[in-house]
Amino acid sequence: MLLEFLIATILTAQSDDVRDWDDVLGTRITESWETPPHRQYDFWVGEWDANWRPRQEEGLDHVEDGNHTHQFVVPVLDGKAIMELAMPRDLTPGQAQGRGFSLRYYDEQNERWIMAQHWPGPPSDGFAFLDQLTGTERFGRIMVYSPDLRRTTPDGDPQIRRYTFSDIREDAFRWDGANTVDRGNNWFTWMAVDFREIDPDVDLPAADQPLPGYNEGLLCTDSAHRAMDGLIGTWSGSAISPDGSEETAHITAGRMLDGCGLIVAFERPQSGYRSLTFWSWSPQIERWFALYLNNQPGQGHRYYSAQTAGEGIAFHLNPAVNIVDAETPYLIHAQDDLSGSLQRIRWLEISDDGLTFRIDTRGAADDDWQMRREYSVERN
């Protein structure tokens, strides 16, 4: 009996050390995020087959069977946000193929949904995580809008995109992508996508394995994308406040989008803090960008950017690239001079054994930087 008890104790201790991405991402919905507006996208949680149906060359409708993708959708940040990971349904070994990501959360202050996405594919991965849309739910239909990332009409009006989620059933729904160049008088629906559920639950892998959508690392293979690979792994240590007090901190970083991005989760269990940061190099803008969102009520997403990445590099906050509405361009600020930024993430050490970075703030552009918190962790 004693031997059985010791074996059970050892096995329990080992299982506690082996975390999966569900634990890291916070896929269990907590009380803070159980209110109805935050749960409007829960119909999408699960594993899906998506049939992307472009317009017929001749005719009034879309083709019946197009390209298929495999979608994995989970709540994250304790239910504050919904994360989507997509990949081609039929992967061709040794061939680079597109991937997809989106993150969306409900903005309580403005009573709207905000979505950021990144769909890299050969030969370019475009704009990192900067593509954003915003919108609302009405009578069971969710519609989100964004000005196109680059294109305008000859008169300078924005080409506006609209994504519509409709015909929502227990195991299926429809997604439409449309554009307008005359501020909504006419819409062109360029894609209709039929989603059919494979499984209502997503079984995420262990935290030392890549998330769904990573296959052979065939996308974004250039050296620019590899500058932050030193973060990959699981780390534990301390988060130090300006008064010298310390709090346990965990960092988990992994590959995503088949080489085009990193996901980094920061956790401080004692305070219940959790955040996700998505890092990627944008060849279009020639900068690194970090999309950040935490599980704290009332706080929205942020963007940090830098021209290079790695040890000794500071990523500066750029609030001007956050989406404001469906017509105001935001990409024009992606190359802004950030010398006047009021917050930064400064990487002090990225090595095989340790990570150290500091979050600094200041009240004005000519003030000295003040440490808000410093993380110092070692590889598990």
Side-chain angles (χ1 to χ4, degrees):
M1 182 71 79
L2 178 60
L3 179 60
E4 292 176 357
F5 172 76
L6 290 174
I7 292 174
T9 302
I10 292 171
L11 291 175
T12 301
Q14 289 176 339
S15 64
D16 287 343
D17 292 336
V18 180
R19 307 177 73 208
D20 59 25
W21 279 106
D22 286 299
D23 303 317
V24 173
L25 299 176
T27 60
R28 184 179 65 85
I29 299 170
T30 61
E31 184 177 354
S32 299
W33 309 108
E34 289 180 345
T35 57
H38 296 284
R39 308 273 50 92
Q40 289 170 348
Y41 261 110
D42 279 3
F43 68 87
W44 200 7
V45 172
E47 189 175 343
W48 300 82
D49 173 81
N51 177 16
W52 296 72
R53 303 189 293 117
R55 290 292 299 269
Q56 298 171 340
E57 291 186 9
E58 296 182 4
L60 301 176
D61 204 348
H62 295 73
V63 301
E64 290 189 9
D65 193 40
N67 295 320
H68 287 254
T69 56
H70 194 177
Q71 252 84 353
F72 304 84
V73 182
V74 294
V76 295
L77 296 173
D78 308 318
K80 178 175 180 175
I82 300 291
M83 185 177 76
E84 168 202 17
L85 296 169
M87 60 191 297
R89 186 181 65 180
D90 300 314
L91 290 170
T92 303
Q95 180 178 329
Q97 295 170 275
R99 296 295 189 276
F101 159 91
S102 71
L103 183 75
R104 62 202 69 211
Y105 68 97
Y106 186 73
D107 177 356
E108 308 104 310
Q109 182 177 355
N110 296 297
E111 298 182 335
R112 61 178 185 169
W113 281 92
I114 295 178
M115 168 185 170
Q117 65 177 355
H118 186 20
W119 284 73
S124 169
D125 68 327
F127 297 98
F129 296 100
L130 283 170
D131 191 9
Q132 302 161 77
L133 301 97
T134 182
T136 58
E137 182 273 344
R138 185 172 177 83
F139 296 111
R141 173 178 292 194
I142 301 177
M143 304 175 76
V144 291
Y145 300 82
S146 173
D148 191 276
L149 284 173
R150 289 185 295 179
R151 286 170 289 183
T152 60
T153 69
D155 295 330
D157 292 327
Q159 176 170 287
I160 297 170
R161 279 172 296 143
R162 180 183 68 194
Y163 295 172
T164 303
F165 296 80
S166 64
D167 303 322
I168 298 168
R169 305 198 299 269
E170 183 177 349
D171 60 354
F173 68 92
R174 174 171 166 147
W175 177 97
D176 288 348
N179 290 342
T180 181
V181 294
D182 57 10
R183 298 183 180 272
N185 289 312
N186 296 280
W187 287 94
F188 171 70
T189 302
W190 42 269
M191 188 70 69
V193 187
D194 299 327
F195 280 79
R196 298 190 182 277
E197 189 175 69
I198 299 172
D199 194 316
D201 300 309
V202 176
D203 184 18
L204 293 177
D208 61 352
Q209 299 297 314
L211 285 164
Y214 188 89
N215 187 34
E216 302 175 65
L218 297 175
L219 291 173
C220 307
T221 58
D222 56 287
S223 59
H225 280 91
R226 307 279 67 82
M228 300 296 282
D229 282 1
L231 302 181
I232 295 169
T234 59
W235 315 77
S236 295
S238 299
I240 306 167
S241 298
D243 61 4
S245 60
E246 296 187 16
E247 186 178 354
T248 299
H250 301 296
I251 296 176
T252 306
R255 296 177 174 91
M256 62 185 300
L257 295 174
D258 211 24
C260 297
L262 294 178
I263 179 173
V264 183
F266 302 92
E267 300 171 84
R268 301 200 306 271
Q270 291 159 274
S271 63
Y273 171 88
R274 190 193 308 267
S275 70
L276 299 177
T277 307
F278 304 89
W279 307 76
S280 184
W281 166 257
S282 168
Q284 297 284 350
I285 305 173
E286 297 186 334
R287 279 193 179 185
W288 269 85
F289 288 92
L291 164 65
Y292 164 94
L293 184 67
N294 64 34
N295 67 346
Q296 305 301 294
Q299 296 191 22
H301 71 301
R302 306 173 200 164
Y303 284 105
Y304 298 83
S305 68
Q307 289 183 303
T308 57
E311 188 174 277
I313 300 301
F315 282 76
H316 287 84
L317 179 68
N318 186 357
V321 295
N322 283 45
I323 189 169
V324 176
D325 54 43
E327 298 186 53
T328 304
Y330 51 85
L331 194 67
I332 58 174
H333 301 293
Q335 291 181 307
D336 281 356
D337 176 7
L338 299 179
S339 60
S341 177
L342 303 182
Q343 188 178 112
R344 67 182 183 182
I345 302 172
R346 189 156 55 102
W347 290 95
L348 305 179
E349 178 190 3
I350 301 176
S351 70
D352 290 340
D353 301 319
L355 300 176
T356 303
F357 68 95
R358 181 177 294 178
I359 301 172
D360 296 323
T361 61
R362 57 185 178 181
D366 56 353
D367 290 348
D368 293 333
W369 289 103
Q370 303 293 323
M371 184 189 84
R372 180 175 179 180
R373 187 168 281 107
E374 181 174 297
Y375 287 80
S376 181
V377 295
E378 296 179 349
R379 188 180 294 276
N380 293 337

